Each structure stands twice: as structure tokens, then as C-alpha cells.
Amino acid sequence: MRRQEPGVTTPRPPTVGEARARDKARKARAEQALLEAEQAAKEEAKRKTRRRAMIGTVAVVGVVGLVALGYTVLSSDEVRATCIDPETEVVVDDSYCSSGSPSGGGMFIYAGSSYRYYYGGNAGAVGTKVSGGTIVTPKGATITTKSGTTIQRGGFGSKFSGSTGS
């Protein structure tokens, strides 16, 4: 058969090798399509996750900003200083810190022993122990004693020592 006539001649059936090759190619195309669909689904999931994370981050930053703004607006820039004996951390009369010779950093020498101011925290009456504060002088705050004496005025590092209050 050298010539085939259209519509009259029937095509020969594929060989076993040709049939396997067609099946293999069909399966490869189906697997490739499935793989591409999975990749697209993963990319979409990543995109959604990133979007949600970005929205969450923006929300957290906004809340933190509002809290910081509120803290700044509502926080007091006045600090109470209490005179203490630094060895026992017991409250003593303010006269122990206000009289005597200053030795830097809010520490005064009175009759041979040192007394210093304790800033903030819970300081009760004379003879009680202090807690919750610090001996480090706070910057930019107006510091007053229990007796009303202003030790340091707030602002940009300005100090006004030795003034007396009412």
C-alpha cells in the first residue's frame, strides 16, 4: 500500500511503544497541571498570610503609638524625693539631706554619715523602709521633697538648686 485514500483507508493501530509514550505524555501533562495548581494555591496562601501579618503589624504599631502618646500626655513630670539612710533604706527627716555638705548626685554628708534622696516609689513616714523607686536622679522632671522644697526643675536638663518652697 503505497498510497492511502482519504475516507477509505483506515489508519493502523498504534504500536505498544507509541501507546505507552502517549499515556506517559498525558500523565506528565496532568501532573504538571496539578503541580501548577498547587503552586498557585500556595502563593495565594502566602499572599493572604503576608497581608494579614501586615494588617496585624500596623494595628499593633498603632496601638503601641496610642499607648505611648497616652502615657506621655498623662504621665506626671513631678517626682517626690525622700531622704533616706542608704545603708538601711529607712526614711529619715528631710533636714538630714537638705543640711550638710552636698557631695554630688543628691547625696549629702551630715555629721559624718551619708544620706541621699530616694526618688519615686513607696516612701512612708519617717522610720519606714522605702521600695519601688530609685536613687538615680530622674532627668527632665520637677523633683520636690515631702517638705515642699524643689530640688530640680524639669525641662531640658536645667537645674535650680537650693530654692525653698512654701
Side-chain angles (χ1 to χ4, degrees), residues 30-159:
E31 286 178 10
Q32 184 64 28
L34 184 62
L35 183 63
E36 288 173 0
E38 287 177 3
Q39 288 291 349
K42 284 181 183 179
E43 287 298 320
E44 183 63 26
K46 281 183 184 179
R47 196 173 302 120
K48 283 183 179 180
T49 302
R50 276 191 227 122
R51 190 176 320 137
R52 287 179 184 157
M54 182 63 77
I55 290 170
T57 302
V58 168
V60 167
V61 168
V63 168
V64 168
L66 285 174
V67 168
L69 179 65
Y71 179 75
T72 302
V73 169
L74 297 176
S75 67
S76 173
D77 59 347
E78 289 190 18
V79 176
R80 178 66 59 127
T82 307
C83 188
I84 64 165
D85 180 358
E87 293 176 12
T88 60
E89 292 185 350
V90 173
V91 177
V92 295
D93 191 59
D94 283 344
S95 64
Y96 285 89
C97 287
S98 61
S99 63
S101 59
S103 66
M107 187 166 162
F108 295 88
I109 307 296
Y110 180 76
S113 68
S114 61
Y115 291 90
R116 78 177 322 152
Y117 282 113
Y118 189 80
Y119 305 101
N122 300 322
V126 174
T128 60
K129 197 166 183 164
V130 293
S131 65
T134 180
I135 59 171
V136 178
T137 307
K139 301 292 180 196
T142 302
I143 303 171
T144 56
T145 63
K146 285 184 179 182
S147 61
T149 305
T150 300
I151 299 171
Q152 173 182 325
R153 299 223 184 257
F156 297 102
S158 63
K159 287 189 176 180

